Amino acid sequence: MSKIRPSQGAPYARILGVGGYRPVRVVPNEVILETIDSSDEWIRSRSGIATRHWASADETVAAMSIEASGKAIADSGISADQIGAVIVSTVSHFKQTPAVATEIADKLGTGKAAAFDISAGCAGFGYGLTLAKGMIVEGSAKYVLVIGVERLSDLTDLQDRATAFLFGDGAGAVVVGPSDEPAIGPTIWGSEGDKSETIKQTVPWTEYDSSGKFPAITQEGQAVFRWAVFEMAKVAQQALDAAGISPDDLDVFIPHQANMRIIDSMVKTLKLPDHVTVARDVETTGNTSAASIPLAMERLLATGQAKSGDTALVIGFGAGLVYAATVVTLP
């Protein structure tokens, strides 16, 4: 018989607060057109993007995360020193070690919170949310801060006509804490490594010196589009099934803000009712990878398009290829 004491965690977990930060500089398509042969109409029809935010030198991954996290903590009604763990999902923090989460945890005043980074691309927020839920139910932390943050402008090839217009910068954060009722459903997540070449960094950091060109993100657009629309709609439906709800029960749909055409196609494939509010933050924020879902969530709540207690389906998908989908109750 085991001598280990059973876990003393909460029965369930929920999102208690959300916050976002978008860099001050707004970049319209006209700026992108200075380096690629295209048009505003082409960019909008292909992606739905009109503007994006690009960070200044002072708007670092850590600085943006701290701004977003401060708002999320205030929104949750707890204090920073109550946070037991900080999880940061990012692919654009260029220092391999230490994790940027440790700097963020310290500057927020969390005390000695566990802190670590994860790399799960555009599915990173869903991965972090799932880890946070597990910590709270298991009992290793009462409150967990989950951050998605990117400075993708640093990894954008402005001469690449296929991707130059896609990416933006920003940070989104949520505080996850205990709940007396289910408020974060089972996560449907996974990876398809055989498709890893469809979205990738052009060269490894070890080859940067010899290549003479700073690494950037590249992707096979049509392959990604087909995968996202058809395969991720199936994953989204699995998340609904796992939560025991139907599309009619949904109030809000918050997919990764990759591309407006992908979002609209997923809505059609899932046959979402007209009453479901759909996040389309990509139009003014661009693709911010791990930050896109919490940023979109924050904007929907701030503008009144969604409200506290709404039932939302969230799904992230991207480089790896990786994905994560779950149903949550909005804070």
Side-chain angles (χ1 to χ4, degrees):
M1 179 179 292
S2 174
K3 296 179 180 179
I4 300 173
R5 180 182 298 172
S7 298
Q8 302 294 313
Y12 306 104
R14 70 184 305 117
I15 300 174
L16 300 175
V18 60
Y21 179 81
R22 293 170 173 81
V24 174
R25 184 187 177 194
V26 177
V27 179
N29 287 339
E30 285 73 20
V31 172
I32 307 299
L33 296 175
E34 294 174 4
T35 54
I36 61 170
D37 181 16
S38 187
S39 68
D40 178 64
E41 180 183 5
W42 185 87
I43 293 174
R44 288 175 187 256
S45 65
R46 185 178 177 85
S47 68
I49 298 172
T51 61
R52 73 285 292 148
H53 295 255
W54 282 355
S56 67
D58 294 336
E59 292 169 314
T60 63
V61 164
M64 292 190 293
S65 296
I66 290 166
E67 289 290 332
S69 298
K71 295 175 184 177
I73 293 168
D75 191 44
S76 70
I78 68 166
S79 58
D81 60 6
Q82 291 178 273
I83 293 171
V86 177
I87 303 170
V88 177
S89 178
T90 185
V91 298
S92 48
H93 175 60
F94 298 152
K95 186 182 290 185
Q96 192 70 37
T97 191
V100 72
T102 59
E103 177 186 349
I104 294 166
D106 176 63
K107 290 185 177 178
L108 286 172
T110 64
K112 296 183 178 181
F116 59 96
D117 299 350
I118 60 174
S119 177
C122 305
F125 176 75
Y127 274 51
L129 187 64
T130 303
L131 293 173
K133 174 187 173 183
M135 290 179 186
I136 291 160
V137 173
E138 184 271 337
S140 60
K142 186 174 182 180
Y143 299 104
V144 180
L145 178 64
V146 179
I147 303 165
V149 57
E150 302 292 2
R151 275 182 55 118
L152 294 182
S153 58
D154 292 334
L155 287 168
T156 299
D157 181 352
L158 294 178
Q159 277 72 48
D160 181 2
R161 189 173 184 268
T163 61
F165 57 89
L166 287 176
F167 302 119
D169 303 336
V174 298
V175 173
V176 183
S179 175
D180 293 329
E181 59 183 15
I184 301 175
T187 300
I188 306 300
W189 57 351
S191 65
E192 298 183 31
D194 60 317
K195 301 179 180 66
S196 62
E197 291 295 302
T198 56
I199 306 174
K200 64 180 182 179
Q201 186 171 306
T202 48
V203 295
W205 295 111
T206 52
E207 295 181 15
Y208 167 44
D209 288 341
S210 60
S211 72
K213 192 170 185 179
F214 196 77
I217 297 173
T218 184
Q219 69 175 24
E220 297 174 14
Q222 287 303 313
V224 172
F225 180 86
R226 288 192 298 270
W227 176 77
V229 170
F230 298 109
E231 297 304 318
M232 291 305 97
K234 296 175 186 176
V235 170
Q237 183 60 57
Q238 290 172 26
L240 291 175
D241 294 341
I245 68 172
S246 72
D248 288 336
D249 298 316
L250 276 181
D251 300 303
V252 184
F253 178 43
I254 310 177
H256 164 49
Q257 301 295 292
N259 181 304
M260 195 75 78
R261 291 169 59 217
I262 290 175
I263 294 170
D264 290 341
S265 295
M266 289 185 72
V267 169
K268 184 177 180 180
T269 302
L270 286 167
K271 299 179 180 178
L272 295 185
D274 290 341
H275 75 261
V276 176
T277 297
V278 179
R280 292 188 170 89
D281 193 45
V282 67
E283 180 180 3
T284 56
T285 307
N287 180 342
T288 55
S289 189
S292 79
I293 291 175
L295 277 173
M297 182 184 295
E298 186 263 351
R299 176 160 281 173
L300 288 176
L301 289 165
T303 58
Q305 296 176 72
K307 63 183 185 300
S308 174
D310 278 353
T311 300
L313 169 63
V314 299
I315 179 169
F317 44 86
L321 293 170
V322 295
Y323 55 87
T326 188
V327 175
V328 303
T329 301
L330 294 183

